[in-house]
Amino acid sequence: MTTATDAKNSFRQNLEFELALEFVRVVEEAAIASAHTMGYGDRKGADHVATEAMRRTMDSVPMRGTIVIGEGERDEAPMLYIGEQVGAGWHDGAHCPEVDIAVDPLEGTNLCATGSPNAITVLAASEKGGLLHAPDCYMEKLVVGPSCKDAVSLDAPVKDNLKAIAKRLDRDINDLVVMVLERERHKKLIDDIRATGARIKLISDGDLSAGIAAAVIGTGVHAVMGTGGAPEGVITAAAMRCLNGEIFARLIIDTPELEQRIAKMGIKDKNKVYTSKDLAPGKHVIFAATGVTEGTLLKGIRFFGEGTRTSSLVMTLDSGKVRFVDSIHLAKKPDVKVRFA
Ligand code: VTB
């Protein structure tokens, strides 16, 4: 006999089944839109078209979605602002899943504007309350893959963490690669990493895609360290839950406004170290991303005249799926042809 709880659980389970591939459409459309502007030197324009496409496509998804991490507060963002309701479910009243959504319509606006690697369009979704409504501030981060997650600590010296990672990965420290955002604030961190002999990949932007790479074997990335955006940290956490990796993170609360903001959120200890389960606590989590420019895990958008090819990653936590989705979007031409690769 099916109990009410079973029914509720199976409905929740369906949240992942029903929405995962829908969200692929959302990130694909945003990626195609922004890729049209690649290299134009217009980061705002690239972000705008990605946001517009993401917003438009979301409204065709049978869900009642609420943006919990978006382009900013309502008064500063015309679209995908925090609190905005998205999805077809709000209009047609049909039975459909209710989800909280964190978006980064174009992660790495500069990367797209300059045609540099690893720009992605990305979102994470969960049942209501399944994603921390983190303020748009900086966050100190340490991201590692499954083998290292119980061997490191955000408060440990860099050399201890790297020693532990090398041991877990059964190699020398000199063989490790750590990804770090190239910023003045990371001077000491970079010196500390170099002092251990570990190698570094300095990136101009995009610690979210770097974090995902760190949690996947074979990418040649073993950890991400340093301070980046908190919203990106929450989306990274959603990915870590699906990949069994880990993010250790601490909000950087250094203004009275941020103090007030976290007080309102009920955060008492501003020095709290968050893990992926704190940042993305949902039982059901969906993560979806599409490559805009060529990347470590995802290919960039390719326009080939007869259509467009996209490369996406969509993952679900409870149903345990990690899907690499290679899509061909055919042009509406009478003689259109599909190529295998
Ligand atoms: C960070 C990082 C992002 O922008 O938010 C960064 O997490 C902005 O940092 O991945 P700065 O203020 O130091 O420039 C990204 O690199 C891209 O959105």
Side-chain angles (χ1 to χ4, degrees), residues 104 106-109 138 141 181 183 185 204-208 227-230 232:
D104 196 348
L106 181 56
E107 157 67 356
T109 52
Y138 282 115
K141 308 173 191 178
L181 279 169
R183 296 290 188 279
R185 62 177 180 271
S204 63
D205 270 301
D207 66 356
L208 199 171
T227 302
E232 288 85 346

Side-chain angles (χ1 to χ4, degrees), residues 20-201:
L21 294 178
E22 295 284 347
F23 283 135
V24 174
R25 284 199 300 121
V26 173
V27 284
E28 280 179 350
E29 291 306 321
I32 293 169
S34 53
H36 278 296
T37 74
M38 188 187 89
Y40 286 2
D42 180 10
R43 55 178 296 217
K44 285 214 167 108
D47 191 44
H48 177 74
V49 293
T51 306
E52 233 176 29
M54 197 175 255
R55 177 70 184 79
R56 189 178 54 243
T57 315
M58 273 194 178
D59 253 357
S60 67
V61 175
M63 64 171 174
R64 289 169 196 241
T66 304
I67 301 297
V68 295
I69 288 186
E71 290 289 272
E73 306 290 340
R74 187 185 195 131
D75 51 359
E76 69 198 36
M79 257 179 287
L80 296 179
Y81 54 82
I82 298 162
E84 186 174 1
Q85 296 183 332
V86 292
W90 296 109
H91 315 302
D92 59 20
H95 159 90
C96 56
E98 206 166 323
V99 282
D100 279 354
I101 306 171
V103 298
D104 196 348
L106 181 56
E107 157 67 356
T109 52
N110 276 323
L111 300 174
C112 178
T114 57
S116 306
N118 285 313
I120 57 172
T121 54
V122 57
L123 66 80
S126 185
E127 73 267 11
K128 282 228 119 340
L131 299 166
L132 185 83
H133 303 188
D136 188 5
C137 62
Y138 282 115
M139 178 182 258
E140 194 185 338
K141 308 173 191 178
L142 167 61
V143 188
V144 292
S147 335
C148 306
K149 62 182 187 178
D150 57 356
V152 296
S153 151
L154 194 60
D155 289 318
V158 166
K159 74 169 182 336
D160 293 1
N161 281 334
L162 290 174
K163 254 190 217 159
I165 293 171
K167 190 160 177 227
R168 284 296 173 91
L169 297 180
D170 198 19
R171 66 196 71 192
D172 291 339
I173 292 196
N174 304 48
D175 298 333
L176 297 180
V177 175
V178 184
M179 276 181 126
V180 180
L181 279 169
E182 187 166 19
R183 296 290 188 279
E184 201 44 45
R185 62 177 180 271
H186 290 152
K187 191 178 174 312
K188 180 169 183 316
L189 171 66
I190 292 167
D191 287 346
D192 288 350
I193 298 171
R194 285 182 178 152
T196 69
R199 297 174 308 142
I200 303 180
K201 231 184 203 177

